[in-house]
Amino acid sequence: MQLDKDLQSIQEVRRLLEAAKGAQRALARMDQGQIDAIVSAVSAAAARHAAELGRMAVEETGFGKAEDKELKNRFAACTLYEAIKNERTVGILAEDKAKRTIDMGVSVGIVAALVPSTNPTSTVIYKAMICLKAGSPVIFSPHPSALKCIRAAVEVVRAAAESAGAPPGSVSCISIPTLEATRELMGHPLTRLILATGGPGMVKAAYSSGTPAIGVGAGNGPAYIHKSADVALAVKHILDSKTFDNGTVCASEQSIVVTEEMESAVTAELKRQGAYLLSEAESRTLARFILRPGGTMNPAIVGKSVETLCKLAGLSGIPASTRVLVARENGVGRDHPYSSEKLGLILAYYVERDEQAVLSRCVEILEWEGAGHTFAIHAEDEEVVRRFAAAVPASRVLVNTPASLGGIGASTCLFPALTLGCGAVGGSSSSNNIGPLDLINIKRVAWGVREIEELRGAPGHAVGKAPGLDSLRSDPAVLDELVHQIMRRLKV
């Protein structure tokens, strides 16, 4: 019975939480060196199993390419490790002897980590490493359609962590994935933070659970090719980015936007590099397949090859060498399916009369879907880059780089991450590429300044009578003068 399965899954979550509670106590007693040894072991083990886990992910989900899944696994295991290995996350982080303050890193506690089916194994590696680096146990809630490969990745991480000294319960995974289990995990008092990567419904549920959450919204980034760009290189970046893992990275480009004067050059280059520009009839046929009746993305388009897309959508006569399907679009919203996020080998193509119209269109696209996520621009004119960066509602503005790789920090100097915050404009609690420092609290130790009491008790000073609380509250000038005197004494 379904009820029995739900009850079993809820009980499993409670057992995992109790084990994680014990692990948290042990992790809290560890110093930075012990924590780092655990993270190093996880990195090495995940790298060893990167190819195997990549193959498993594609076999189980049908999304993407095994060789690109392997690269993402190695990115999470190795590139991320290099970025965090020297970070201080527990114990004393900083000390200011002049101001007499100390900052101490404190684990937030048990983290609930939601794992999507698009990037299942790399997400497990990435989230496990940033949680363990922060001294936090992590419990994974797997997407049901990727349960086997997610559990395999969790087992690789768990075994490596425990072999390096992590207590049992530090890394675990729900084996009976149900909505009720996920809700129990997110809303349980022992859960201190949720790392939500998944569909908009699940991210919304995370923020509605009553538990602090870091969630990410949809990626729907437009890519603008400016007249100052190297057009051939810009198109190469876009097509290389879109075809990486068959478009399953949320930072990948979803549309190309150009001015009328650039249309001819960009169109010719798209065709030369293997993109297929759909006719109006072909575009209408594919459009009916992109979204489900409720307006959400059809999962059947996710991570599939062009050949598979064409078969599923009923398109014929598309060259076998086609890398990406490109459809002309002239609007944004529910009646324009190409204006939404398409985690597959499909791009929208907008041609606008001038640069101001391009900017307006890019803002419109992001406000429709993808606010706070990613915007790509290809230009050598830095003033244009700065103008667009100031105006678009995106947390990542990527210049002259493949967006799928630049957004996660693979081809840029952004922090390497697979959870990309969208900021308040995108309904997210952070605009960061999420790392260990987003998963710790900072305890601040501060010594009192004795001079405050001395000044308050003195018979008089530059402003006259020694200020009491009433005068400090009522007269800002009194407080300002007091602060200045304190600072002068501290400098002596």
Side-chain angles (χ1 to χ4, degrees), residues 171-194:
V171 179
S172 59
C173 181
I174 296 171
S175 66
I176 310 172
T178 65
L179 285 174
E180 285 69 22
T182 301
R183 291 194 186 103
E184 178 70 12
L185 176 62
M186 293 193 301
H188 197 282
L190 288 177
T191 300
R192 292 291 186 248
L193 182 71
I194 303 168

Side-chain angles (χ1 to χ4, degrees), residues 113-288:
L114 279 54
V115 186
S117 55
T118 47
N119 302 296
T121 55
S122 55
T123 297
V124 167
I125 297 166
Y126 156 72
K127 289 188 175 181
M129 286 181 62
I130 63 173
C131 288
L132 291 170
K133 178 71 176 184
S136 293
V138 57
I139 301 175
F140 289 99
S141 176
H143 193 286
S145 67
L147 176 61
K148 182 180 177 181
C149 65
I150 289 172
R151 291 191 67 191
V154 171
E155 179 56 25
V156 167
V157 169
R158 183 205 62 76
E162 292 185 12
S163 72
S170 296
V171 179
S172 59
C173 181
I174 296 171
S175 66
I176 310 172
T178 65
L179 285 174
E180 285 69 22
T182 301
R183 291 194 186 103
E184 178 70 12
L185 176 62
M186 293 193 301
H188 197 282
L190 288 177
T191 300
R192 292 291 186 248
L193 182 71
I194 303 168
L195 275 178
T197 308
M202 188 56 71
V203 173
K204 183 177 180 181
Y207 278 118
S208 302
S209 67
T211 301
I214 299 175
V216 297
N220 190 33
Y224 173 38
I225 303 178
H226 183 253
K227 63 183 179 181
S228 68
D230 178 332
V231 175
L233 184 58
V235 170
K236 182 180 189 304
H237 281 161
I238 292 169
L239 296 185
D240 286 349
S241 173
K242 192 64 173 173
T243 55
F244 180 71
D245 205 24
N246 283 349
T248 57
V249 178
C250 58
S252 63
E253 298 86 347
Q254 303 299 315
S255 55
I256 298 172
V257 191
V258 300
T259 58
E260 289 176 352
E261 67 175 308
M262 293 296 293
E263 178 184 4
S264 176
V266 172
T267 299
E269 200 58 48
L270 282 167
K271 292 178 178 178
R272 190 184 74 81
Q273 295 193 35
Y276 180 84
L277 273 71
L278 299 167
S279 67
E280 286 190 21
E282 290 168 333
S283 178
R284 287 194 298 271
T285 297
L286 183 59
R288 290 192 290 269

